[in-house]
Amino acid sequence: MRVIQRVFLAFPVLLTALWILGDPGAFSGLNGFFAWRNVLMQYSGVLGIGVMSFAMLLSLRPAWFERRLGGLDKLYRLHRWLGIAGLSITVAHWLLAQGPKWLVQLGWLQRGNRPPRPLLPEGSLQQWFAHQRGFAEGVGEWAFYAAVVLMLLALVKWFPYRRFFQTHRLLAVCYLALVFHSVVLLRFEYWSTPLGAGLALLMAGGCVGAVMALLRRHLGGRRIRGRVIGLQRQPEIGVLGVDIEPDAGWPGHEAGQFAFISFDDAEGPHPFTIASAWSGEPRLRFLIKALGDYTRLLPGRLHVGSVVTLEGPYGRFTFEGDARRQIWIGGGIGITPFLARLQALGSAPDGRDIDLFHSTAQYDPDVIARLQREATAAKVRLHVLWDPRDGRLDVAGIVSQVPDWREADVWFCGPGGFGRAIRDGLLRLGLPAGRFHQELFEMR
Protein backbone atom coordinates (compact mmCIF):
# COMPACT_ATOMS: atom_id res chain seq x y z
CA MET A 1 0.00 0.00 0.00
CA ARG A 2 2.82 2.39 0.84
CA VAL A 3 4.46 1.76 -2.53
CA ILE A 4 1.42 2.91 -4.51
CA GLN A 5 0.97 5.88 -2.16
CA ARG A 6 4.55 6.97 -2.82
CA VAL A 7 4.16 6.56 -6.59
CA PHE A 8 0.83 8.41 -6.57
CA LEU A 9 2.34 11.37 -4.69
CA ALA A 10 5.72 11.39 -6.44
CA PHE A 11 4.36 11.44 -9.99
CA PRO A 12 2.68 14.90 -9.89
CA VAL A 13 5.69 16.26 -7.97
CA LEU A 14 7.95 15.06 -10.80
CA LEU A 15 5.68 16.64 -13.42
CA THR A 16 5.65 19.89 -11.47
CA ALA A 17 9.44 19.90 -11.25
CA LEU A 18 9.73 19.33 -15.01
CA TRP A 19 7.26 22.14 -15.67
CA ILE A 20 9.19 24.57 -13.47
CA LEU A 21 12.47 23.58 -15.15
CA GLY A 22 10.86 24.05 -18.55
CA ASP A 23 9.48 27.48 -17.68
CA PRO A 24 11.46 28.87 -14.69
CA GLY A 25 10.07 32.37 -15.24
CA ALA A 26 6.43 31.30 -15.37
CA PHE A 27 5.45 33.26 -12.24
CA SER A 28 7.69 36.28 -12.73
CA GLY A 29 6.22 39.58 -13.86
CA LEU A 30 2.61 38.39 -13.81
CA ASN A 31 0.19 41.28 -13.84
CA GLY A 32 -3.52 40.76 -13.31
CA PHE A 33 -5.97 37.90 -13.06
CA PHE A 34 -5.79 36.74 -16.66
CA ALA A 35 -2.00 36.46 -16.59
CA TRP A 36 -2.23 34.14 -13.58
CA ARG A 37 -5.09 32.27 -15.19
CA ASN A 38 -3.03 31.57 -18.34
CA VAL A 39 -0.13 30.17 -16.31
CA LEU A 40 -2.42 27.98 -14.21
CA MET A 41 -4.16 26.76 -17.38
CA GLN A 42 -0.83 25.49 -18.69
CA TYR A 43 0.11 23.92 -15.35
CA SER A 44 -3.24 22.18 -14.83
CA GLY A 45 -3.16 21.01 -18.45
CA VAL A 46 0.30 19.49 -17.97
CA LEU A 47 -0.77 17.76 -14.76
CA GLY A 48 -4.08 16.56 -16.20
CA ILE A 49 -2.76 14.99 -19.39
CA GLY A 50 0.25 13.58 -17.53
CA VAL A 51 -1.86 11.86 -14.89
CA MET A 52 -4.34 10.54 -17.46
CA SER A 53 -1.47 9.22 -19.61
CA PHE A 54 0.00 7.38 -16.64
CA ALA A 55 -3.40 5.85 -15.88
CA MET A 56 -3.79 4.78 -19.52
CA LEU A 57 -0.32 3.23 -19.48
CA LEU A 58 -1.30 1.17 -16.43
CA SER A 59 -4.31 -0.20 -18.32
CA LEU A 60 -1.76 -2.13 -20.40
CA ARG A 61 -0.96 -4.17 -17.25
CA PRO A 62 2.83 -3.90 -17.70
CA ALA A 63 4.31 -6.90 -15.89
CA TRP A 64 7.52 -5.15 -14.81
CA PHE A 65 5.56 -2.38 -13.11
CA GLU A 66 3.08 -4.83 -11.58
CA ARG A 67 5.98 -6.60 -9.87
CA ARG A 68 7.29 -3.35 -8.43
CA LEU A 69 3.89 -2.32 -7.12
CA GLY A 70 3.34 -5.70 -5.50
CA GLY A 71 0.63 -7.17 -7.74
CA LEU A 72 -2.09 -6.37 -10.23
CA ASP A 73 -4.48 -5.47 -7.40
CA LYS A 74 -2.10 -2.66 -6.38
CA LEU A 75 -1.72 -1.58 -10.01
CA TYR A 76 -5.49 -1.31 -10.39
CA ARG A 77 -5.77 0.64 -7.14
CA LEU A 78 -3.17 3.13 -8.44
CA HIS A 79 -5.01 3.27 -11.79
CA ARG A 80 -8.22 4.15 -9.94
CA TRP A 81 -6.55 6.86 -7.85
CA LEU A 82 -4.98 8.37 -10.95
CA GLY A 83 -8.36 8.35 -12.68
CA ILE A 84 -9.95 10.24 -9.78
CA ALA A 85 -7.01 12.67 -9.68
CA GLY A 86 -7.22 13.18 -13.44
CA LEU A 87 -10.94 13.89 -13.17
CA SER A 88 -10.36 16.45 -10.40
CA ILE A 89 -7.53 18.20 -12.26
CA THR A 90 -9.44 18.38 -15.55
CA VAL A 91 -12.47 19.83 -13.75
CA ALA A 92 -10.18 22.53 -12.31
CA HIS A 93 -8.70 23.10 -15.78
CA TRP A 94 -12.18 23.44 -17.30
CA LEU A 95 -13.23 25.90 -14.59
CA LEU A 96 -10.14 27.99 -15.28
CA ALA A 97 -11.10 28.04 -18.96
CA GLN A 98 -14.83 28.71 -18.59
CA GLY A 99 -15.19 30.49 -15.25
CA PRO A 100 -13.63 33.82 -16.28
CA LYS A 101 -15.83 33.90 -19.39
CA TRP A 102 -18.93 33.59 -17.20
CA LEU A 103 -17.67 36.33 -14.87
CA VAL A 104 -17.02 38.66 -17.81
CA GLN A 105 -20.52 38.00 -19.18
CA LEU A 106 -22.01 38.79 -15.75
CA GLY A 107 -20.02 42.02 -15.59
CA TRP A 108 -18.13 40.89 -12.48
CA LEU A 109 -14.76 40.80 -14.23
CA GLN A 110 -13.20 43.11 -16.77
CA ARG A 111 -11.27 41.44 -19.58
CA GLY A 112 -7.92 43.03 -20.24
CA ASN A 113 -6.47 43.77 -23.64
CA ARG A 114 -4.93 40.75 -25.28
CA PRO A 115 -1.33 41.20 -26.41
CA PRO A 116 -0.84 40.90 -30.18
CA ARG A 117 -0.03 37.38 -31.33
CA PRO A 118 3.53 36.99 -32.64
CA LEU A 119 4.08 36.53 -36.34
CA LEU A 120 4.98 32.91 -37.05
CA PRO A 121 7.06 31.57 -39.93
CA GLU A 122 4.83 30.71 -42.87
CA GLY A 123 4.28 26.97 -43.19
CA SER A 124 5.94 26.17 -39.85
CA LEU A 125 4.66 23.57 -37.41
CA GLN A 126 4.11 26.28 -34.83
CA GLN A 127 1.88 28.17 -37.26
CA TRP A 128 -0.11 25.01 -37.98
CA PHE A 129 -0.64 24.50 -34.24
CA ALA A 130 -1.80 28.11 -33.93
CA HIS A 131 -4.37 27.58 -36.69
CA GLN A 132 -5.73 24.49 -34.90
CA ARG A 133 -6.29 26.18 -31.53
CA GLY A 134 -10.00 26.81 -31.92
CA PHE A 135 -10.68 23.29 -33.16
CA ALA A 136 -8.53 21.76 -30.39
CA GLU A 137 -10.39 23.77 -27.74
CA GLY A 138 -13.74 22.49 -28.99
CA VAL A 139 -12.53 18.88 -29.21
CA GLY A 140 -11.08 19.09 -25.71
CA GLU A 141 -14.25 20.58 -24.24
CA TRP A 142 -16.55 17.88 -25.61
CA ALA A 143 -14.07 15.12 -24.75
CA PHE A 144 -13.99 16.52 -21.21
CA TYR A 145 -17.79 16.35 -20.88
CA ALA A 146 -17.86 12.76 -22.13
CA ALA A 147 -14.93 11.74 -19.88
CA VAL A 148 -16.60 13.20 -16.78
CA VAL A 149 -19.76 11.17 -17.41
CA LEU A 150 -17.82 7.96 -18.09
CA MET A 151 -15.56 8.38 -15.03
CA LEU A 152 -18.51 9.05 -12.75
CA LEU A 153 -20.27 5.94 -14.07
CA ALA A 154 -17.10 3.93 -13.38
CA LEU A 155 -17.13 5.12 -9.75
CA VAL A 156 -20.85 4.44 -9.15
CA LYS A 157 -21.16 0.95 -7.68
CA TRP A 158 -24.80 0.46 -8.66
CA PHE A 159 -24.02 0.94 -12.36
CA PRO A 160 -24.12 -2.65 -13.72
CA TYR A 161 -20.73 -4.22 -14.32
CA ARG A 162 -21.74 -5.33 -17.80
CA ARG A 163 -22.49 -1.71 -18.76
CA PHE A 164 -19.29 -0.56 -17.06
CA PHE A 165 -17.32 -3.06 -19.14
CA GLN A 166 -18.98 -1.81 -22.33
CA THR A 167 -18.67 1.93 -21.62
CA HIS A 168 -15.32 2.17 -19.86
CA ARG A 169 -13.42 1.53 -23.09
CA LEU A 170 -14.94 4.72 -24.51
CA LEU A 171 -12.65 6.63 -22.15
CA ALA A 172 -9.86 5.63 -24.53
CA VAL A 173 -11.54 7.66 -27.29
CA CYS A 174 -11.88 10.64 -24.94
CA TYR A 175 -8.23 10.30 -24.00
CA LEU A 176 -7.10 10.35 -27.64
CA ALA A 177 -9.13 13.52 -28.20
CA LEU A 178 -7.57 15.11 -25.10
CA VAL A 179 -4.09 14.21 -26.36
CA PHE A 180 -4.82 16.18 -29.55
CA HIS A 181 -6.13 19.05 -27.42
CA SER A 182 -2.98 19.01 -25.27
CA VAL A 183 -0.48 18.71 -28.11
CA VAL A 184 -1.95 21.73 -29.89
CA LEU A 185 -2.53 23.96 -26.85
CA LEU A 186 0.64 23.25 -24.85
CA ARG A 187 3.04 26.18 -25.09
CA PHE A 188 5.16 25.46 -28.14
CA GLU A 189 8.37 26.33 -26.29
CA TYR A 190 7.81 23.45 -23.85
CA TRP A 191 8.41 20.83 -26.54
CA SER A 192 12.15 21.58 -26.61
CA THR A 193 12.49 21.07 -22.82
CA PRO A 194 12.66 17.92 -20.65
CA LEU A 195 8.98 18.51 -19.87
CA GLY A 196 8.11 18.24 -23.55
CA ALA A 197 10.13 15.05 -23.93
CA GLY A 198 8.50 13.54 -20.83
CA LEU A 199 4.99 14.46 -21.95
CA ALA A 200 5.68 13.14 -25.44
CA LEU A 201 6.73 9.76 -24.03
CA LEU A 202 3.77 9.64 -21.65
CA MET A 203 1.24 10.54 -24.32
CA ALA A 204 2.76 8.14 -26.85
CA GLY A 205 2.54 5.32 -24.32
CA GLY A 206 -0.96 6.43 -23.34
CA CYS A 207 -2.06 6.38 -27.00
CA VAL A 208 -0.76 2.83 -27.33
CA GLY A 209 -2.71 1.91 -24.20
CA ALA A 210 -5.85 3.59 -25.55
CA VAL A 211 -5.70 1.78 -28.89
CA MET A 212 -5.05 -1.56 -27.18
CA ALA A 213 -7.94 -0.90 -24.79
CA LEU A 214 -10.25 -0.32 -27.75
CA LEU A 215 -9.02 -3.62 -29.21
CA ARG A 216 -9.34 -5.33 -25.80
CA ARG A 217 -5.64 -6.15 -25.75
CA HIS A 218 -2.91 -5.57 -23.19
CA LEU A 219 0.55 -6.71 -22.15
CA GLY A 220 -0.55 -9.14 -19.42
CA GLY A 221 -1.15 -12.87 -19.46
CA ARG A 222 -2.25 -14.52 -22.66
CA ARG A 223 -5.84 -15.53 -23.26
CA ILE A 224 -6.67 -19.19 -23.69
CA ARG A 225 -9.86 -21.16 -23.94
CA GLY A 226 -11.05 -23.61 -21.34
CA ARG A 227 -13.93 -25.97 -20.72
CA VAL A 228 -16.03 -26.48 -17.61
CA ILE A 229 -15.54 -30.08 -16.45
CA GLY A 230 -17.23 -29.94 -13.05
CA LEU A 231 -19.77 -27.96 -11.03
CA GLN A 232 -20.41 -28.30 -7.30
CA ARG A 233 -23.15 -26.23 -5.71
CA GLN A 234 -22.83 -25.32 -2.02
CA PRO A 235 -26.20 -23.63 -1.34
CA GLU A 236 -25.67 -23.41 2.43
CA ILE A 237 -22.90 -20.86 1.92
CA GLY A 238 -23.95 -19.49 -1.49
CA VAL A 239 -20.85 -20.77 -3.32
CA LEU A 240 -20.45 -22.44 -6.69
CA GLY A 241 -17.38 -24.60 -7.27
CA VAL A 242 -16.27 -24.56 -10.90
CA ASP A 243 -13.62 -26.91 -12.31
CA ILE A 244 -12.09 -25.83 -15.61
CA GLU A 245 -9.77 -27.67 -17.95
CA PRO A 246 -7.59 -25.09 -19.71
CA ASP A 247 -6.38 -25.61 -23.25
CA ALA A 248 -2.68 -25.97 -23.94
CA GLY A 249 -0.87 -22.78 -23.06
CA TRP A 250 -1.75 -22.32 -19.41
CA PRO A 251 1.66 -21.53 -17.83
CA GLY A 252 0.84 -22.85 -14.38
CA HIS A 253 0.32 -20.71 -11.29
CA GLU A 254 1.36 -20.20 -7.71
CA ALA A 255 -1.06 -20.69 -4.83
CA GLY A 256 -2.76 -17.38 -4.08
CA GLN A 257 -2.88 -16.09 -7.66
CA PHE A 258 -6.03 -15.33 -9.62
CA ALA A 259 -7.25 -15.39 -13.21
CA PHE A 260 -9.71 -13.38 -15.26
CA ILE A 261 -12.54 -15.56 -16.55
CA SER A 262 -15.07 -14.69 -19.23
CA PHE A 263 -18.11 -16.94 -18.94
CA ASP A 264 -20.01 -14.56 -21.22
CA ASP A 265 -18.33 -12.33 -23.82
CA ALA A 266 -20.97 -9.64 -23.36
CA GLU A 267 -20.35 -9.51 -19.60
CA GLY A 268 -16.59 -9.38 -19.91
CA PRO A 269 -13.88 -10.87 -17.68
CA HIS A 270 -14.17 -11.10 -13.90
CA PRO A 271 -11.27 -11.87 -11.55
CA PHE A 272 -11.53 -15.05 -9.48
CA THR A 273 -8.90 -16.50 -7.15
CA ILE A 274 -7.70 -19.97 -8.07
CA ALA A 275 -8.67 -22.41 -5.32
CA SER A 276 -6.39 -25.25 -6.42
CA ALA A 277 -2.64 -25.74 -6.44
CA TRP A 278 -0.89 -26.39 -9.73
CA SER A 279 0.44 -29.91 -10.10
CA GLY A 280 0.88 -30.00 -13.87
CA GLU A 281 -2.54 -31.55 -14.39
CA PRO A 282 -4.69 -29.28 -16.63
CA ARG A 283 -7.36 -28.57 -14.04
CA LEU A 284 -8.21 -25.32 -12.25
CA ARG A 285 -10.75 -24.91 -9.49
CA PHE A 286 -12.59 -21.72 -8.65
CA LEU A 287 -15.00 -20.94 -5.81
CA ILE A 288 -17.49 -18.27 -6.83
CA LYS A 289 -19.57 -16.54 -4.17
CA ALA A 290 -23.02 -15.23 -5.11
CA LEU A 291 -22.33 -11.56 -4.36
CA GLY A 292 -24.17 -9.85 -7.21
CA ASP A 293 -26.61 -10.38 -10.05
CA TYR A 294 -23.98 -11.90 -12.33
CA THR A 295 -22.57 -14.43 -9.85
CA ARG A 296 -26.04 -15.31 -8.53
CA LEU A 297 -27.14 -16.31 -12.03
CA LEU A 298 -24.06 -18.39 -12.86
CA PRO A 299 -25.36 -21.69 -11.40
CA GLY A 300 -28.27 -21.58 -13.85
CA ARG A 301 -26.16 -20.54 -16.83
CA LEU A 302 -23.13 -22.80 -16.54
CA HIS A 303 -23.08 -26.47 -17.36
CA VAL A 304 -20.42 -29.12 -17.87
CA GLY A 305 -18.98 -28.48 -21.31
CA SER A 306 -19.41 -24.67 -21.23
CA VAL A 307 -16.55 -22.92 -23.02
CA VAL A 308 -14.84 -20.08 -21.15
CA THR A 309 -11.90 -17.72 -21.71
CA LEU A 310 -9.06 -17.66 -19.18
CA GLU A 311 -6.38 -15.04 -18.72
CA GLY A 312 -3.59 -15.09 -16.21
CA PRO A 313 -2.28 -15.92 -13.76
CA TYR A 314 -1.96 -12.62 -11.92
CA GLY A 315 -1.23 -11.48 -8.39
CA ARG A 316 1.57 -11.46 -5.80
CA PHE A 317 -0.42 -12.90 -2.88
CA THR A 318 1.91 -15.89 -2.94
CA PHE A 319 2.97 -16.41 0.71
CA GLU A 320 6.59 -15.43 0.13
CA GLY A 321 8.75 -13.87 2.83
CA ASP A 322 11.66 -14.53 5.15
CA ALA A 323 9.63 -15.13 8.31
CA ARG A 324 9.31 -18.75 9.36
CA ARG A 325 6.07 -17.88 11.16
CA GLN A 326 2.91 -17.06 9.25
CA ILE A 327 -0.65 -16.16 10.20
CA TRP A 328 -3.35 -16.57 7.57
CA ILE A 329 -6.75 -14.89 7.88
CA GLY A 330 -9.57 -15.73 5.48
CA GLY A 331 -12.86 -13.90 5.80
CA GLY A 332 -15.77 -15.68 4.09
CA ILE A 333 -14.91 -16.49 0.46
CA GLY A 334 -11.49 -14.99 1.23
CA ILE A 335 -10.50 -18.49 2.32
CA THR A 336 -9.95 -19.35 -1.36
CA PRO A 337 -6.20 -18.55 -1.77
CA PHE A 338 -5.46 -20.43 1.44
CA LEU A 339 -7.15 -23.55 0.07
CA ALA A 340 -4.72 -23.54 -2.84
CA ARG A 341 -1.79 -23.04 -0.49
CA LEU A 342 -2.95 -25.86 1.78
CA GLN A 343 -2.98 -28.20 -1.21
CA ALA A 344 0.51 -27.08 -2.21
CA LEU A 345 1.88 -27.60 1.32
CA GLY A 346 0.19 -30.98 1.56
CA SER A 347 2.44 -32.26 -1.22
CA ALA A 348 5.50 -30.05 -0.62
CA PRO A 349 5.86 -28.70 2.98
CA ASP A 350 8.00 -25.59 3.39
CA GLY A 351 8.74 -25.94 7.12
CA ARG A 352 6.88 -22.80 8.22
CA ASP A 353 4.81 -22.64 11.41
CA ILE A 354 1.32 -21.52 10.29
CA ASP A 355 -2.02 -20.67 11.92
CA LEU A 356 -5.07 -20.27 9.68
CA PHE A 357 -8.07 -18.28 10.95
CA HIS A 358 -11.29 -18.70 8.99
CA SER A 359 -14.06 -16.31 10.00
CA THR A 360 -17.43 -16.95 8.36
CA ALA A 361 -21.04 -15.86 8.74
CA GLN A 362 -22.31 -19.05 7.04
CA TYR A 363 -21.50 -22.57 8.18
CA ASP A 364 -21.48 -25.80 6.20
CA PRO A 365 -20.21 -28.76 8.27
CA ASP A 366 -19.07 -30.69 5.19
CA VAL A 367 -17.07 -27.73 3.86
CA ILE A 368 -15.45 -27.15 7.25
CA ALA A 369 -14.63 -30.86 7.55
CA ARG A 370 -12.85 -30.80 4.18
CA LEU A 371 -10.99 -27.66 5.21
CA GLN A 372 -9.87 -29.36 8.43
CA ARG A 373 -8.61 -32.41 6.53
CA GLU A 374 -6.55 -30.26 4.16
CA ALA A 375 -5.17 -28.20 7.04
CA THR A 376 -4.15 -31.36 8.87
CA ALA A 377 -2.44 -32.74 5.77
CA ALA A 378 -0.55 -29.44 5.38
CA LYS A 379 0.34 -29.34 9.12
CA VAL A 380 -1.44 -26.00 9.54
CA ARG A 381 -3.36 -25.17 12.72
CA LEU A 382 -6.94 -24.25 11.80
CA HIS A 383 -9.16 -21.89 13.82
CA VAL A 384 -12.75 -21.66 12.56
CA LEU A 385 -14.94 -18.86 13.89
CA TRP A 386 -18.62 -18.95 13.02
CA ASP A 387 -19.93 -15.43 13.62
CA PRO A 388 -23.31 -16.38 15.22
CA ARG A 389 -21.54 -18.77 17.59
CA ASP A 390 -18.07 -17.29 18.20
CA GLY A 391 -18.41 -13.64 17.23
CA ARG A 392 -16.29 -11.96 14.61
CA LEU A 393 -12.56 -12.47 14.66
CA ASP A 394 -10.60 -9.52 16.07
CA VAL A 395 -6.99 -8.68 16.88
CA ALA A 396 -7.36 -9.78 20.50
CA GLY A 397 -8.46 -13.23 19.36
CA ILE A 398 -5.47 -13.55 17.04
CA VAL A 399 -2.78 -12.51 19.51
CA SER A 400 -4.27 -14.72 22.23
CA GLN A 401 -4.06 -17.79 19.97
CA VAL A 402 -0.63 -16.96 18.50
CA PRO A 403 1.69 -15.67 21.26
CA ASP A 404 4.63 -15.20 18.87
CA TRP A 405 2.60 -13.13 16.37
CA ARG A 406 5.25 -10.39 16.39
CA GLU A 407 7.60 -12.71 14.46
CA ALA A 408 4.97 -13.58 11.86
CA ASP A 409 4.05 -12.50 8.36
CA VAL A 410 0.29 -11.95 8.22
CA TRP A 411 -1.65 -12.79 5.06
CA PHE A 412 -5.23 -11.53 4.88
CA CYS A 413 -7.92 -12.08 2.25
CA GLY A 414 -11.50 -11.00 2.83
CA PRO A 415 -13.76 -7.95 3.06
CA GLY A 416 -11.89 -4.65 2.89
CA GLY A 417 -13.29 -3.20 6.13
CA PHE A 418 -12.48 -6.38 8.04
CA GLY A 419 -8.93 -6.30 6.68
CA ARG A 420 -8.39 -2.65 7.63
CA ALA A 421 -9.57 -3.34 11.19
CA ILE A 422 -7.17 -6.27 11.58
CA ARG A 423 -4.29 -4.41 9.96
CA ASP A 424 -4.73 -1.23 11.99
CA GLY A 425 -5.03 -3.21 15.22
CA LEU A 426 -1.88 -5.25 14.59
CA LEU A 427 0.11 -2.19 13.51
CA ARG A 428 -0.92 -0.36 16.69
CA LEU A 429 0.49 -3.28 18.67
CA GLY A 430 3.79 -3.07 16.82
CA LEU A 431 3.58 -5.28 13.73
CA PRO A 432 5.72 -3.74 10.94
CA ALA A 433 3.52 -2.59 8.05
CA GLY A 434 5.59 -4.62 5.57
CA ARG A 435 4.58 -7.82 7.33
CA PHE A 436 0.87 -7.41 6.60
CA HIS A 437 -0.15 -8.66 3.15
CA GLN A 438 -3.62 -8.02 1.76
CA GLU A 439 -5.32 -8.24 -1.61
CA LEU A 440 -6.72 -4.85 -2.66
CA PHE A 441 -8.30 -6.01 -5.88
CA GLU A 442 -11.30 -4.08 -7.13
CA MET A 443 -12.30 -3.88 -10.77
CA ARG A 444 -13.86 -0.44 -10.23
Side-chain angles (χ1 to χ4, degrees):
M1 191 71 170
R2 288 186 174 181
V3 175
I4 61 175
Q5 288 173 342
R6 287 196 292 266
V7 173
F8 178 72
L9 294 174
F11 183 73
V13 171
L14 175 61
L15 277 179
T16 301
L18 288 175
W19 178 69
I20 293 173
L21 288 173
D23 193 0
F27 292 104
S28 62
L30 293 179
N31 183 20
F33 173 81
F34 282 98
W36 279 94
R37 176 241 194 183
N38 292 338
V39 170
L40 293 176
M41 283 280 291
Q42 286 291 318
Y43 176 56
S44 60
V46 165
L47 278 185
I49 196 63
V51 166
M52 287 187 288
S53 297
F54 192 12
M56 194 60 69
L57 273 169
L58 293 184
S59 70
L60 288 169
R61 302 181 195 166
W64 63 270
F65 201 61
E66 179 208 353
R67 288 193 295 272
R68 283 156 180 78
L69 291 178
L72 191 63
D73 59 319
K74 313 300 188 300
L75 185 148
Y76 265 98
R77 180 63 61 91
L78 178 58
H79 173 82
R80 185 168 182 260
W81 288 356
L82 289 169
I84 294 171
L87 174 62
S88 303
I89 294 167
T90 51
V91 167
H93 184 76
W94 176 77
L95 287 173
L96 282 169
Q98 301 298 326
K101 298 177 184 178
W102 301 334
L103 296 177
V104 168
Q105 290 171 359
L106 291 170
W108 297 353
L109 183 66
Q110 184 68 37
R111 177 179 287 278
N113 295 323
R114 288 184 178 181
R117 291 183 178 178
L119 293 176
L120 303 174
E122 189 67 30
S124 66
L125 181 62
Q126 188 175 3
Q127 186 188 59
W128 185 85
F129 277 4
H131 289 164
Q132 300 301 314
R133 287 185 66 87
F135 179 56
E137 287 173 355
V139 167
E141 183 176 355
W142 286 104
F144 163 75
Y145 296 145
V148 167
V149 172
L150 292 170
M151 287 190 213
L152 290 176
L153 288 176
L155 295 173
V156 174
K157 296 295 185 181
W158 54 258
F159 188 62
Y161 180 85
R162 172 183 290 211
R163 301 305 176 198
F164 161 76
F165 174 72
Q166 294 168 345
T167 59
H168 197 60
R169 287 190 305 146
L170 297 176
L171 273 172
V173 178
C174 298
Y175 170 78
L176 293 173
L178 291 170
V179 166
F180 171 73
H181 170 87
S182 301
V183 168
V184 171
L185 297 179
L186 188 72
R187 280 190 60 183
F188 193 80
E189 294 79 6
Y190 288 172
W191 292 113
S192 59
T193 69
L195 172 65
L199 285 179
L201 287 173
L202 280 169
M203 289 190 282
C207 287
V208 172
V211 172
M212 292 186 72
L214 290 170
L215 298 175
R216 298 186 182 179
R217 295 290 184 268
H218 46 75
L219 302 177
R222 59 184 294 188
R223 294 180 181 179
I224 63 171
R225 307 292 276 180
R227 183 173 60 88
V228 175
I229 57 175
L231 294 169
Q232 300 82 37
R233 292 171 175 80
Q234 301 171 11
E236 294 84 358
I237 56 176
V239 170
L240 175 68
V242 182
D243 294 311
I244 296 175
E245 181 181 58
D247 290 348
W250 181 257
H253 63 273
E254 297 181 62
Q257 291 190 298
F258 64 89
F260 287 98
I261 310 178
S262 294
F263 295 111
D264 178 356
D265 289 340
E267 177 70 22
H270 285 251
F272 296 105
T273 301
I274 305 169
S276 55
W278 179 250
S279 61
E281 179 185 357
R283 187 185 186 98
L284 305 174
R285 182 169 177 77
F286 298 89
L287 297 178
I288 300 174
K289 180 76 171 177
L291 296 174
D293 293 340
Y294 175 70
T295 48
R296 275 195 294 269
L297 293 174
L298 274 181
R301 292 179 174 177
L302 285 182
H303 59 272
V304 173
S306 293
V307 176
V308 304
T309 301
L310 292 165
E311 184 184 318
Y314 291 105
R316 304 290 166 186
F317 193 84
T318 51
F319 306 95
E320 298 172 352
D322 297 330
R324 306 308 299 170
R325 191 75 171 86
Q326 290 191 345
I327 299 172
W328 301 348
I329 306 167
I333 196 62
I335 193 65
T336 306
F338 304 110
L339 295 176
R341 184 61 176 165
L342 288 174
Q343 290 181 21
L345 291 179
S347 58
D350 68 357
R352 286 189 172 93
D353 190 10
I354 302 169
D355 281 79
L356 167 58
F357 292 85
H358 177 41
S359 179
T360 179
Q362 298 161 312
Y363 193 92
D364 184 328
D366 293 334
V367 170
I368 298 301
R370 287 198 298 272
L371 177 60
Q372 181 63 69
R373 289 195 296 271
E374 294 195 358
T376 300
K379 296 182 173 56
V380 170
R381 286 180 292 277
L382 176 65
H383 311 266
V384 176
L385 291 92
W386 182 28
D387 293 355
R389 181 190 65 196
D390 307 305
R392 196 172 189 183
L393 178 66
D394 57 16
V395 171
I398 295 170
V399 300
S400 66
Q401 294 290 326
V402 187
D404 58 346
W405 62 270
R406 287 182 176 83
E407 284 73 51
D409 276 335
V410 180
W411 296 81
F412 175 92
C413 186
F418 182 24
R420 285 190 294 273
I422 297 295
R423 180 182 184 276
D424 292 347
L426 289 174
L427 264 56
R428 280 195 297 270
L429 292 177
L431 182 76
R435 290 248 185 110
F436 191 90
H437 309 273
Q438 180 181 1
E439 290 274 54
L440 302 175
F441 202 93
E442 290 182 356
M443 283 293 289
R444 49 192 298 200

